[in-house]
Amino acid sequence: MGVLTVVLALLTALSNASASVLQRRAATDEADGGRGMRQAVRWLAHVLRRPSWLAGTALLALSTVLQASALAVGSLSVVQPLLASELLFTLAVGSVVFHRRPDRRTWLAFAALAAGLALFLGAAAPTAGRTTVVPGRWPETGGAVLCIVTVLLSAALLVTGAPRAVLLGLASAVSFAATAALMKEVMGQLGHGVGAVLTHWPLYAGIAAGTVGFLLLQSAFRAGSLTASQPALTLGDALASVALGWVLFEERIALGIRVLPEAVGVALIGAGSVGLAGALGTGGTWDAAPGRRNGSGGPGASEPTPQRP
């Protein structure tokens, strides 16, 4: 993989992580207005006016430009998995913004998830593939993506707290992976001129998919801690992107003897998931505002255990 691709992808990860932390801060600063569509809309309207949320949105716009640039010079299966570094950037930036450090279990869980994904993708060594999608592949793939997001969203409506944040994070991840695939298709079409891009549907489908992913992400922030939503978002995006790269752009991963380190990587991802679940079970709310847990407030909200700055 080229140095420019790596640098652009890492800058994208840093920008995404900073945006997530700032928007999560806005979510924790705003009291939960209760359940129901009207309350959710009112809550979102208040959050949209907070400076931290606006700063996060500006960083998301910057990350879109950086990601498009990375996809123009690198493959989907390389660029998106590199965004797994967003996990560690989230911890670093979050520790500064929330003035408290995640506990050791949370750090180890994040590290295991990131290391497992890095090992898996390093062994898999995705190939470059095509610059544009194989003709005729979009309809079936798009339908499958829509079904997966619908199932995840439906399941999220049946649970609360951390499980809902995870499911919404996964739904957002699949939406953003589809957005990245559409973005890469658009960048591939630029060789035919701007007019070709503006008169074809991938640009507008990408905007729609990105909007859905963005709204799902805001719901994930409201549902629970970043320790629940962020791993699902980052790792789900990477793995879904590898699958979409395989199907749409014919980007291949190595098998054979490399299956062993790939399996070790998958095992590390599983261990990290178990550790993260344990951290959540003991109340690891390092990204909660004072006087609130998991972004919820109001009467009866518990005070989080103080942590050293």
Side-chain angles (χ1 to χ4, degrees), residues 50-87:
R50 290 192 173 272
S52 56
W53 190 92
L54 294 173
T57 301
L59 285 172
L60 281 177
L62 175 61
S63 70
T64 300
V65 175
L66 292 169
Q67 184 182 14
S69 301
L71 289 169
V73 297
S75 68
L76 184 68
S77 297
V78 170
V79 172
Q80 295 301 106
L82 278 173
L83 299 187
S85 59
E86 183 179 336
L87 291 168

Side-chain angles (χ1 to χ4, degrees), residues 2-289:
V3 174
L4 181 59
T5 300
V6 173
V7 171
L8 288 171
L10 290 178
L11 287 175
T12 302
L14 175 59
S15 184
N16 273 334
S18 301
S20 293
V21 171
L22 288 173
Q23 291 188 335
R24 171 61 183 170
R25 179 57 189 263
T28 60
D29 285 343
E30 185 65 38
D32 192 347
R35 304 187 66 176
M37 181 62 68
R38 179 178 299 177
Q39 290 77 9
V41 171
R42 184 182 301 134
W43 177 88
L44 183 59
H46 289 165
V47 169
L48 295 184
R49 296 197 295 266
R50 290 192 173 272
S52 56
W53 190 92
L54 294 173
T57 301
L59 285 172
L60 281 177
L62 175 61
S63 70
T64 300
V65 175
L66 292 169
Q67 184 182 14
S69 301
L71 289 169
V73 297
S75 68
L76 184 68
S77 297
V78 170
V79 172
Q80 295 301 106
L82 278 173
L83 299 187
S85 59
E86 183 179 336
L87 291 168
L88 299 180
F89 286 135
T90 298
L91 285 174
V93 176
S95 296
V96 174
V97 171
F98 291 101
H99 305 293
R100 46 169 76 96
R101 296 177 181 175
D103 58 25
R104 184 179 180 184
R105 177 179 292 183
T106 304
W107 274 107
L108 291 175
F110 270 106
L113 285 165
L117 184 59
L119 177 60
F120 171 75
L121 294 175
T127 60
R130 298 166 53 95
T131 57
T132 56
V133 172
V134 177
R137 293 280 177 88
W138 272 122
E140 293 182 357
T141 305
V145 167
L146 182 60
C147 288
I148 291 172
V149 171
T150 301
V151 169
L152 289 171
L153 180 57
S154 300
L157 295 177
L158 301 177
V159 295
T160 59
R164 173 175 287 185
V166 170
L167 290 169
L168 289 172
L170 285 173
S172 178
V174 175
S175 299
F176 283 135
T179 303
L182 288 161
M183 188 184 299
K184 182 169 179 61
E185 175 80 342
V186 169
M187 299 305 292
Q189 291 178 352
L190 275 179
H192 302 291
V194 177
V197 171
L198 295 177
T199 56
H200 286 76
W201 62 269
L203 173 63
Y204 307 103
I207 293 173
T211 301
V212 171
F214 176 77
L215 294 175
L216 290 171
L217 182 59
Q218 302 311 305
S219 298
F221 290 155
R222 188 188 183 207
S225 169
L226 281 176
T227 50
S229 61
Q230 197 68 16
L233 172 66
T234 305
L235 300 177
D237 187 353
L239 294 175
S241 294
V242 170
L244 289 176
W246 181 295
V247 173
L248 295 174
F249 298 96
E250 295 187 337
E251 300 170 359
R252 297 292 181 251
I253 61 173
L255 299 175
I257 194 172
R258 296 198 180 191
V259 169
L260 180 58
E262 290 170 4
V264 173
V266 171
L268 280 174
I269 293 173
S273 299
V274 172
L276 181 58
L280 289 170
T282 57
T285 54
W286 65 273
D287 65 323

